[in-house]
Amino acid sequence: KQLPTIIEEVKETPPITEGERQYFGVAGGKNIIAIQMEAFQDFTLNLQVNGQPVTPFLNSLIKESVYFPNVYQQIGPGNTSDAEFIFNTSLYPAGMEATSETYGDRIIPSFPKLLKNKGYKSLTFHANDVTFWNRDNLYPALGFDQYFDIEFFGQKDVIGIGPSDEVLYTKAVSELQKLHDGQQKFFAHFITLSSHHPFQIPADKNTLVLPQQFDGNIVGDYLKAIHYTDQMLGKFVAQLKEAGMWDDTMLVLYGDHFGLQKSSLKEPELALLENLLGHDYHLLDQLNVPLMVTLGGDEQVSEMNETIGGQVDILPTLSNLLGLSLDNFVHFGQDLLNYPDNLFGMRYYMPSGSFFNNEIAYKPDEGFEDGEAYDTGTLQPVPNYSDYEEDYERIKEILQLSDRYLNSLPKKES
Ligand code: GP9
């Protein structure tokens, strides 16, 4: 299908004019700092262990943010890099290998390219080697002007597979400051690393004191890593405020994918986790990632928006806040602030053709009739789901459209 047909087939309906959209353009002209938080699951927010909050900084930031508690990961086998891809394109990832490997040689319409037309410079900060997941090809394909990887961050203060989030933010702030001082608008995409599996935060950096039964088990280690991520985010926001950049900032925080995979947890680990959650650790808990948007300065937006969404919906939601038009920009997500009805698909971490709509999450087996459906609110099985077959057919079509669109994009000159 040709481009206009694809646009027609995936555009948000009913059309809502820009003037009628809630929050349209409220963040217009602000610098954008989007932080993709490694292995960060939504259940950790507002969670207390032994009276201690795991994410005290984010718990307070939520009060001055739009927080979307019902957003789900949609990545494929490219994990973190797939989340970067989805965030920057609102397209579905490739199903069988990392999207950066399959489509890293294309010229891909993207968030950085939309922003370039508005005078923004786009940079990405990630403390690993840029060749990991073929990002040295992905970043130019997505139109980033500059990337900062291990070469820039150096080998000091390593946690797990790279320099700590503290190094990441501290070194990046001075780069952002230069742009801010030069009145250059920017989009800075951060990919955090310190909460990467197996979640080993050095003891002298950990301030989350957990009961003894959490010692030496992955649930305790995970919570400590999330606590560290939260603490460093707090420090980063304080640095932005001190540098006089906060008022001009739109901060976006979201999770890339799960950290705790149910099937890899030992029985006592699962029991500890379920005790914290107060219910069985469900697949939907595993795939639920946070999304929140905070505006520095006077233009506050604060609400809990319970619309169900996927990572494809982040770009259209941010575009609405920024006042960017998505006419003629093929995107598979929708603005969560203005479209309360949603349908989106999954591939890889749930079988291809799985979908979420306003009522259920559906996972096919051999075909539609052999699947499993869950109520996304109660997490209970929905045995009678035959009414939703149309959504299953639609999602299969959408995945195909996204693949066809990506395959139609021109290749970069080598
Ligand atoms: C490392 C980062 C994390 O650069 O991509 O690894 P992942 O979670 O994608 O396996």
Side-chain angles (χ1 to χ4, degrees):
K1 287 179 182 172
Q2 296 303 305
L3 180 62
T5 329
I6 297 182
I7 289 182
E8 219 37 53
E9 288 205 20
V10 295
K11 79 177 176 200
E12 294 154 323
T13 51
I16 305 177
T17 61
E18 290 174 352
E20 290 168 334
R21 289 183 186 225
Q22 192 193 12
Y23 298 132
F24 182 78
V26 289
K30 281 191 185 291
N31 294 319
I32 305 148
I33 299 180
I35 304 185
Q36 180 175 300
M37 304 179 293
E38 173 66 29
F40 206 115
Q41 293 182 229
D42 187 74
F43 78 83
T44 59
L45 296 174
N46 289 314
L47 178 71
Q48 304 245 349
V49 187
N50 237 15
Q52 277 181 95
V54 176
T55 60
F57 172 69
L58 290 179
N59 297 350
S60 67
L61 194 71
I62 279 176
K63 296 185 189 133
E64 45 185 283
S65 308
V66 188
Y67 166 48
F68 302 88
N70 295 321
V71 170
Y72 292 86
Q73 70 170 62
Q74 292 179 290
I75 58 166
N79 291 345
T80 302
S81 63
D82 274 357
E84 292 174 75
F85 171 83
I86 304 169
F87 173 94
N88 280 298
T89 60
S90 188
L91 301 174
Y92 280 89
M96 298 315 286
E97 59 173 352
T99 316
S100 54
E101 303 286 353
T102 317
Y103 298 110
D105 60 347
R106 306 283 169 151
I107 299 171
I108 308 173
S110 67
F111 194 46
K113 291 177 191 175
L114 283 167
L115 290 167
K116 190 166 235 120
N117 297 332
K118 298 277 179 192
Y120 282 74
K121 189 170 176 185
S122 294
L123 317 104
T124 182
F125 297 89
H126 180 44
N128 200 352
D129 187 318
V130 72
T131 58
F132 195 85
W133 287 130
N134 197 31
R135 287 179 173 107
D136 47 338
N137 283 313
L138 180 68
Y139 291 150
L142 292 175
F144 278 99
D145 297 295
Q146 214 174 343
Y147 65 75
F148 296 84
D149 77 336
I150 186 76
E151 225 178 279
F152 170 77
F153 292 105
Q155 291 287 2
K156 274 203 191 125
D157 198 31
V158 168
I159 297 181
I161 55 176
S164 65
D165 289 356
E166 187 165 18
V167 172
L168 171 78
Y169 297 131
T170 307
K171 290 203 82 170
V173 162
S174 45
E175 291 302 309
L176 301 184
Q177 176 93 67
K178 282 185 227 162
L179 296 170
H180 189 254
D181 291 350
Q183 300 195 326
Q184 170 61 56
K185 282 190 284 183
F186 61 82
F187 158 44
H189 200 186
F190 284 76
I191 316 301
T192 75
L193 205 51
S194 296
S195 50
H196 194 274
H197 186 273
F199 321 121
Q200 296 296 312
I201 300 299
D204 61 347
K205 290 189 190 293
N206 174 51
T207 54
L208 185 69
V209 185
L210 296 174
Q212 216 178 2
Q213 68 263 39
F214 287 90
D215 286 354
N217 100 28
I218 198 154
V219 175
D221 291 345
Y222 177 68
L223 295 177
K224 287 176 188 168
I226 293 299
H227 183 69
Y228 174 81
T229 302
D230 176 83
Q231 228 172 8
M232 291 309 118
L233 279 167
K235 210 172 157 185
F236 180 45
V237 169
Q239 285 171 325
L240 292 172
K241 287 183 176 167
E242 207 175 305
M245 285 192 271
W246 177 246
D247 286 359
D248 299 326
T249 297
M250 173 170 86
L251 179 68
V252 184
L253 298 168
Y254 68 100
D256 58 356
H257 54 69
F258 62 78
L260 295 175
Q261 187 163 23
K262 187 170 182 176
S263 56
S264 334
L265 296 178
K266 297 185 193 122
E267 230 170 83
E269 293 167 340
L270 185 60
L272 264 183
L273 178 59
E274 295 191 334
N275 189 36
L276 285 177
L277 292 172
H279 61 255
D280 289 354
Y281 185 41
H282 196 278
L283 175 66
L284 300 188
D285 292 313
Q286 187 178 308
L287 302 177
N288 182 199
V289 290
L291 169 63
M292 55 198 274
V293 184
T294 320
L295 303 186
D298 298 331
E299 310 84 349
Q300 300 282 318
V301 282
S302 83
E303 67 168 68
M304 162 106 91
N305 184 309
E306 298 195 75
T307 303
I308 199 133
Q311 289 165 324
V312 288
D313 298 317
I314 304 177
L315 185 154
T317 305
L318 301 183
S319 298
N320 176 62
L321 288 165
L322 291 162
L324 293 178
S325 167
L326 293 183
D327 291 349
N328 299 318
F329 181 88
V330 176
H331 55 290
F332 284 76
Q334 62 186 34
D335 167 17
L336 297 174
L337 290 161
N338 287 285
Y339 289 89
D341 292 329
N342 207 351
L343 171 68
F344 59 90
M346 286 267 181
R347 58 194 345 181
Y348 198 70
Y349 283 102
M350 277 170 84
S352 189
S354 299
F355 66 82
F356 286 67
N357 65 22
N358 283 17
E359 282 90 35
I360 63 163
Y362 172 76
K363 183 174 154 211
D365 191 353
E366 293 294 308
F368 182 72
E369 272 147 37
D370 301 318
E372 289 166 31
Y374 298 97
D375 182 308
T376 47
T378 63
L379 306 179
Q380 294 305 307
V382 176
N384 303 317
Y385 54 80
S386 54
D387 286 356
Y388 301 104
E389 187 159 5
E390 228 174 79
D391 287 348
Y392 171 64
E393 296 302 333
R394 175 71 179 143
I395 280 305
K396 286 196 297 182
E397 193 187 2
I398 281 197
L399 290 169
Q400 267 179 21
L401 279 174
S402 182
D403 291 347
R404 280 160 96 169
Y405 176 57
L406 276 161
N407 283 317
S408 76
L409 295 173
K411 295 204 172 180
K412 286 182 288 187
E413 280 171 28
S414 47

